[in-house]
Amino acid sequence: MNWRRFWAVLICRNREFLRDRSTLTWNLLFPVSLIAGFAFAFSGPGLDLYKVGVLGDAGVGRDSAFFSTRYIDFIPIHELPVALRKVERHQLDMLIDPAGRRYWINDQAPKGYVLERVLRGADVAADPVFSKQTVSGRGIRYVDWVMPGVLAMNMMFGCLFGVGYVIVRYRKNGMLKRLKATPLTPLEFLTAQVISRLGLTLTTTTIVFVGTDGFIGFPMHGSYLDLFIVFAVGAISLISLGLIVAARTTSEELAAGLLNLLSWPMTFLSGVWFSLEGVHPFLQQCAQLAPLTHIIDAARAIILDGAGMADVFGHLLALTVMSVGFMALGARLFRWE
């Protein structure tokens, strides 16, 4: 490898990205706006878990202890037919008529079943089977939980499209054909693209993390260095995956379709927005094949649980194996034209 040629390509790619102000702004503002939106939407003491419509006048027949239950949002209702439709469509978990001593639930709604058990006071008169134990600790906000996923998702789009789409554009406008006529080798060109995107991705991710932490205040129970290593290894894996798409594709439309085909399933199956614990076991196994899953799981373990490198070694090993495999396949398939 000729380091002068490698450095020249690296500098050119960095300058090209920095001069594209719209792309740079999007990479910074998109994750910030998402995290800020979640912080605002889920701020406060906590959201109510259940919605119960209360039919009739306020205070009439509300002598039951059920109406003092926490985490239930009691909504005044004045029209029975409208309220029944909401129960039918799962917009209300329960409808209760305190004056008439009756209630309605949807027999296919899990929340309605739970509320019915609470209302009827199941097993109150029976001897307790379990003894009560309590734990205390600072609660984790949803924005704290979702933040590593948003950062990783932004990395994913930046890595896949920043390498895969750009190289395809180079091939389509004839730039790769001109570079082929120079002494530049494929190894030098691809390495420069990978290092450039890696540095830009880690820089923007660090700026977004520090900036949002400044006004939201995320918990950090682990090491910042460990978190940086996870993001670095994960970014390399995602960039290597983008190289496979860019290896021979000549159409920007096809490249965009292939990159979306890779990115959106990972977005929904890697635990960005919700935990995978409740999904089908087969989908949980499929999610382990995605680099984004290991990045998010390792980042959350470090940030929220204080995990160390030994605890996330399995995720790092999986990301490393994926990186080597993707990089080898992308380099083997790569063509200038």
Side-chain angles (χ1 to χ4, degrees):
M1 174 182 288
N2 186 297
W3 293 105
R4 293 184 60 185
R5 294 196 295 262
F6 161 78
W7 185 254
V9 175
L10 177 64
I11 295 300
C12 289
R13 177 64 190 121
N14 289 340
R15 288 178 177 176
E16 180 186 12
F17 176 80
L18 294 175
R19 289 172 180 173
D20 188 355
R21 300 296 176 82
S22 59
T23 302
L24 179 60
T25 303
W26 173 259
N27 277 269
L28 292 174
L29 292 186
F30 174 67
V32 170
S33 60
L34 277 180
I35 294 173
F38 282 120
F40 175 78
F42 296 96
S43 61
L47 297 177
D48 293 324
L49 301 179
Y50 304 96
K51 297 182 185 298
V52 175
V54 182
L55 190 64
D57 298 330
V60 177
R62 299 194 185 188
D63 53 346
S64 172
F66 176 73
F67 292 99
S68 62
T69 306
R70 292 189 298 172
Y71 309 119
I72 299 179
D73 184 14
F74 295 99
I75 304 171
I77 299 293
H78 301 287
E79 297 182 13
L80 179 59
V82 175
L84 291 177
R85 282 198 298 270
K86 290 185 177 181
V87 174
E88 177 185 351
R89 298 170 183 173
H90 297 226
Q91 293 174 287
L92 287 176
D93 302 314
M94 172 184 281
L95 174 64
I96 187 170
D97 179 10
R101 299 295 179 180
R102 54 181 179 167
Y103 64 91
W104 295 264
I105 63 169
N106 189 319
D107 58 2
Q108 297 181 359
K111 289 186 176 181
Y113 170 81
V114 173
L115 285 172
E116 182 182 25
R117 301 287 289 183
V118 174
L119 176 63
R120 296 172 67 90
D123 301 329
V124 170
D127 293 333
V129 179
F130 302 97
S131 60
K132 179 181 178 180
Q133 306 293 323
T134 61
V135 296
S136 60
R138 177 185 174 184
I140 298 298
R141 301 168 298 179
Y142 180 68
V143 66
D144 300 329
W145 185 87
V146 81
M147 180 271 297
V150 173
L151 292 180
M153 181 187 68
N154 191 57
M155 285 177 47
M156 176 191 66
F157 284 114
C159 292
L160 291 181
F161 285 87
V163 172
Y165 194 80
V166 169
I167 294 179
V168 172
R169 188 185 66 209
Y170 287 165
R171 183 179 288 113
K172 185 176 181 179
N173 61 24
M175 182 177 293
L176 291 186
K177 187 175 182 180
R178 292 192 291 271
L179 290 175
K180 182 182 179 181
T182 69
L184 185 69
T185 65
L187 177 62
E188 295 165 352
F189 174 75
L190 292 178
T191 304
Q193 295 295 320
V194 171
I195 298 300
S196 171
R197 175 50 55 177
L198 176 63
L200 293 171
T201 297
L202 294 179
T203 300
T204 55
T205 302
T206 301
I207 293 174
V208 171
F209 177 80
V210 174
T212 54
D213 183 51
F215 65 87
I216 294 178
F218 300 115
M220 184 60 183
H221 301 292
S223 167
Y224 287 103
L225 178 60
D226 294 345
L227 181 63
F228 184 83
I229 293 174
V230 167
F231 279 142
V233 177
I236 294 174
S237 179
L238 292 170
I239 293 170
S240 303
L241 180 60
L243 286 178
I244 297 178
V245 176
R248 295 193 178 186
T249 308
T250 58
S251 169
E252 292 177 329
E253 292 78 9
L254 177 59
L258 292 175
L259 291 172
N260 281 311
L261 183 63
L262 290 173
S263 59
W264 286 108
M266 280 198 290
T267 300
F268 291 106
L269 292 179
S270 296
V272 176
W273 310 112
F274 53 86
S275 174
L276 297 178
E277 294 178 359
V279 303
H280 195 279
F282 176 75
L283 294 179
Q284 294 184 23
Q285 295 298 323
C286 291
Q288 298 304 311
L289 301 177
L292 192 62
T293 301
H294 298 282
I295 299 173
I296 295 174
D297 288 349
R300 282 187 180 138
I302 292 172
I303 295 174
L304 302 179
D305 302 327
M309 295 301 293
D311 301 309
V312 299
F313 176 77
H315 296 296
L316 292 175
L317 178 61
L319 290 171
T320 302
V321 172
M322 290 180 185
S323 299
V324 173
F326 295 154
M327 188 76 71
L329 182 59
R332 182 175 181 81
L333 295 176
F334 180 78
R335 294 294 182 270
W336 290 108
E337 301 179 9

